[in-house]
Amino acid sequence: MAKPKAVLFDLDGVIVDTATHHYKAWKALANEMGFDFTEADNERLKGVSRVESLNILLEIGNVEKNDQEKEQLAAQKNEQYVKAISTMDDSEILPGVKEFLQELKQENIPFALGSASKNAPTILKQINLYHDFDAIIDGNSISKAKPDPEVFLQGAEALQVNPEDCVVFEDAQSGIEAGKAAGMYVVGVGNPEVLKGADDYITHMTEMSVERITKK
Ligand code: BG6
Ligand code: MG
C-alpha cells in the first residue's frame, strides 16, 4: 500500500500479552463450573467482548445460566483479570512495540487504540503508554463488537484519516475481519494458519517497519 496515514492497534495480544491473563481467568471460571477450557477454545474469545465471551464459554461447557447469574460470572472473571493486570508494568510490553511506536512518531504517522476491552485505559496506564496514543477507542466507547468495523472506523475518524489509508494490527480472527470490513490494510499478529484473511502477517512487532508496509 502507499505510506499509511494512520495506524490502529488492538491491545490484548498486540501491544501487551494480556491474552494469557484473560485465558487464565476464563479457564478458572470454567473449571469452577466443572468443565475444561483449552487454549484452542480460547481463540474464539480473542477480540470478543466480555459478555459475548461468557456466552461462548457457557456454550462450550454446555451450561445454561440466567441473566443475573451471567452478570455475576462476568464480574467474577473480571475481578480475577483486574487483579492480574494490577501488577503489570512496561516490561510486559511485547517485543518491538515501543520501537515501532517510536518510528511512527518520527514519521509523523498518528496512531490510535482499537480495543474491545473496557480495561484498556487501565492497562495503558499500567504500562506507561496511555499518553502516547493520539486516540483511544475501547470497550467503553463502542456499541458493536468486532467483527463489526465500528471500533476501527471510530479510530480513523478520531485521527481524521480515510479508512483505506489506515493499517490495523490484530491478533484475533474477529479483529482481522473488523479491519477488513472497515476497508483497511490488516496485519495479523500470529500464525497465518490460525488467523485468516489478513494482508500481511508477523509473529512479533520487531519484524514491522513503515517501509515494510509501504513496500507491500
Ligand atoms: C479484548 C480481548 O481485547 O477485550 C477479549 O481480546 C476480551 O479476550 C475483550 O474479552 C473484553 O475485555 P474486558 O477487559 O472488557 O473484559
Ligand atoms: Mg487482541
Side-chain angles (χ1 to χ4, degrees):
M1 72 180 285
K3 194 171 170 180
K5 294 195 177 139
V7 178
L8 305 171
F9 292 95
D10 173 49
L11 175 67
D12 295 317
V14 170
I15 300 283
V16 79
D17 192 18
T18 36
T20 23
H21 297 307
H22 277 296
Y23 172 58
K24 281 183 194 156
W26 286 124
K27 191 178 168 69
L29 202 66
N31 292 165
E32 212 180 285
M33 288 188 280
F35 64 93
D36 198 21
F37 176 62
T38 66
E39 282 196 53
D41 293 330
N42 190 52
E43 282 302 314
R44 290 178 63 194
L45 269 54
K46 287 186 180 173
V48 174
S49 75
R50 195 180 307 162
V51 178
E52 189 48 30
S53 295
L54 177 63
N55 286 332
I56 297 172
L57 189 84
L58 295 174
E59 183 197 302
I60 290 169
N62 212 359
V63 175
E64 294 229 356
K65 297 283 178 192
N66 64 34
D67 286 352
Q68 201 189 336
E69 289 166 326
K70 281 187 190 175
E71 208 174 295
Q72 190 272 322
L73 288 168
Q76 187 183 330
K77 181 267 171 179
N78 192 52
E79 207 173 298
Q80 175 168 344
Y81 180 69
V82 167
K83 203 181 277 174
I85 60 174
S86 69
T87 53
M88 284 180 80
D89 61 29
D90 60 1
S91 67
E92 290 187 55
I93 296 173
L94 287 166
V97 168
K98 274 189 175 172
E99 291 78 2
F100 185 52
L101 296 184
Q102 203 52 44
E103 188 191 355
L104 293 176
K105 281 187 187 178
Q106 273 160 9
E107 298 267 349
N108 285 319
I109 299 173
F111 53 90
L113 193 82
S115 167
S117 174
K118 293 186 174 176
N119 292 299
T122 310
I123 293 168
L124 286 182
K125 283 174 193 159
Q126 288 282 139
I127 60 174
N128 256 323
L129 284 183
Y130 186 78
H131 297 290
D132 292 75
F133 283 80
D134 297 293
I136 293 171
I137 317 295
D138 61 29
N140 304 294
S141 36
I142 53 168
S143 60
K144 287 179 235 132
K146 299 171 188 175
D148 190 281
E150 184 189 14
V151 65
F152 294 130
L153 291 174
Q154 274 198 32
E157 202 179 309
L159 300 177
Q160 295 181 301
V161 171
N162 289 330
E164 61 268 29
D165 295 321
C166 295
V167 175
V168 168
F169 285 88
E170 259 296 348
D171 73 316
Q173 188 59 44
S174 59
I176 289 177
E177 287 164 22
K180 289 314 295 173
M184 299 174 178
Y185 181 90
V186 179
V187 180
V189 183
N191 185 346
E193 278 165 26
V194 179
L195 300 174
K196 305 285 180 202
D199 298 292
D200 190 11
Y201 291 92
I202 56 170
T203 310
H204 291 116
M205 207 59 85
T206 44
E207 297 156 48
M208 197 28 75
S209 64
V210 174
E211 194 190 2
R212 174 168 170 154
I213 299 166
T214 311
K215 278 194 172 162
K216 279 274 173 179

